[in-house]
Amino acid sequence: RHVRKVSIFGSARLPATDPSYRMAKRFGQLMSEAGWMSITGASTGIMWAGHEGAGRAFSFGANIRLPFEQAVNRVIENDRKLIHFKYFFTRKLIFVKESDAICLFPGGFGTLDEGFETITLVQTGKSTPRPIVLVESRRGHYWDAWLHFVKHHILARRMVDPADLQLFQMAGSAEEARDILLTFYKNYHSMRFVGDKLVIRLHEGLERSDIEKLNRK
């Protein structure tokens, strides 16, 4: 648990020739070089790409048992860090509870479900603050179309607040996604409640004026 981890979501159906697959593989590699581990659903497509980039030693797998075969990728197969889940809700709990960041690549219903749920957990304070990054090549339009829907159909009807759009960020490259995660944790370490006090742990101290401002807010 002392090692930072990022949960990587995305389609199981994208082939290795897809730009998002290559970007997910590169992202896993960059995060392992930064000392982070990658948690994926342990199957094919983006999940395989994330593990392939991170390598076996820096990979965790959270597979799901389905009525039809959900193959485990060769990177994490038979590894002690591979867990098989019967229920989606316990699997999704682990994706959030045991990670420090969420990285979403283009995917199907499952990817959108996991993305919306994580944003909702952070929005409502049921999960600690964390980077939530939507990653796709700048030539793609998947997340642009998703953001258009959020802005023009959800935000426009005031179903969310404008500030809620700051709960996630967009990245056009694996390098940009990595930098967002590392910048988030450059000084911030973690937070927790001790009694009725919120304790924020930092790598470097703040000026007294900054602490007073935080306390007021």
Side-chain angles (χ1 to χ4, degrees):
R1 284 203 168 97
H2 65 283
V3 180
R4 293 274 188 205
K5 299 175 187 68
V6 55
S7 288
I8 300 174
F9 298 125
S11 174
R13 303 184 183 189
L14 292 180
T17 54
D18 190 279
S20 292
Y21 183 104
R22 295 194 295 268
M23 192 173 292
K25 179 180 177 180
R26 174 64 174 160
F27 176 73
Q29 176 188 356
L30 291 171
M31 295 314 300
S32 67
E33 292 172 354
W36 284 54
M37 302 186 79
S38 293
I39 309 172
T40 87
S43 187
T44 53
I46 294 297
M47 295 174 273
W48 192 333
H51 280 167
E52 189 177 2
R56 189 179 181 94
F58 282 85
S59 293
F60 265 89
N63 194 250
I64 184 74
R65 293 177 181 147
L66 298 174
F68 49 89
E69 185 68 22
Q70 163 114 333
V72 174
N73 69 66
R74 291 197 299 270
V75 178
I76 198 69
E77 190 176 20
N78 298 322
D79 192 281
R80 66 185 183 89
K81 302 189 305 304
L82 170 65
I83 304 170
H84 295 277
F85 291 86
K86 181 178 181 180
Y87 300 109
F88 272 111
F89 76 92
T90 49
R91 179 180 183 240
K92 288 159 69 176
L93 171 68
I94 293 302
F95 276 132
V96 178
K97 179 178 178 292
E98 299 298 337
S99 69
D100 303 281
I102 302 292
C103 197
L104 294 133
F105 291 83
F109 295 147
T111 299
L112 294 174
D113 170 56
E114 288 151 343
F116 272 124
E117 180 163 11
T118 305
I119 293 171
T120 302
L121 289 172
V122 176
Q123 176 199 40
T124 56
K126 297 299 183 181
S127 173
T128 55
R130 65 187 56 220
I132 302 172
V133 188
L134 317 178
V135 190
E136 185 181 22
S137 166
R138 301 203 186 281
R139 294 189 295 272
H141 302 289
Y142 183 95
W143 292 121
D144 287 339
W146 177 86
L147 185 59
H148 182 275
F149 168 78
V150 170
K151 286 181 175 179
H152 294 272
H153 296 276
I154 301 178
L155 178 63
R157 296 178 65 182
R158 299 182 180 180
M159 297 176 184
V160 297
D161 293 326
D164 291 332
L165 300 190
Q166 299 177 26
L167 296 173
F168 54 86
Q169 293 174 264
M170 313 277 279
S173 69
E175 287 76 10
E176 185 179 357
R178 173 205 56 195
D179 292 345
I180 289 173
L181 269 59
L182 298 186
T183 299
F184 186 94
Y185 287 104
K186 184 176 182 181
N187 193 30
Y188 172 77
H189 181 276
S190 58
M191 57 177 268
R192 63 177 177 171
F193 280 94
V194 179
D196 61 351
K197 291 185 177 180
L198 174 63
V199 178
I200 301 174
R201 301 177 69 189
L202 305 174
H203 295 292
E204 298 180 10
L206 296 176
E207 298 291 337
R208 181 170 293 277
S209 60
D210 292 326
I211 296 175
E212 291 172 352
K213 183 178 179 181
L214 279 173
N215 284 335
R216 285 196 305 272
K217 287 195 171 185

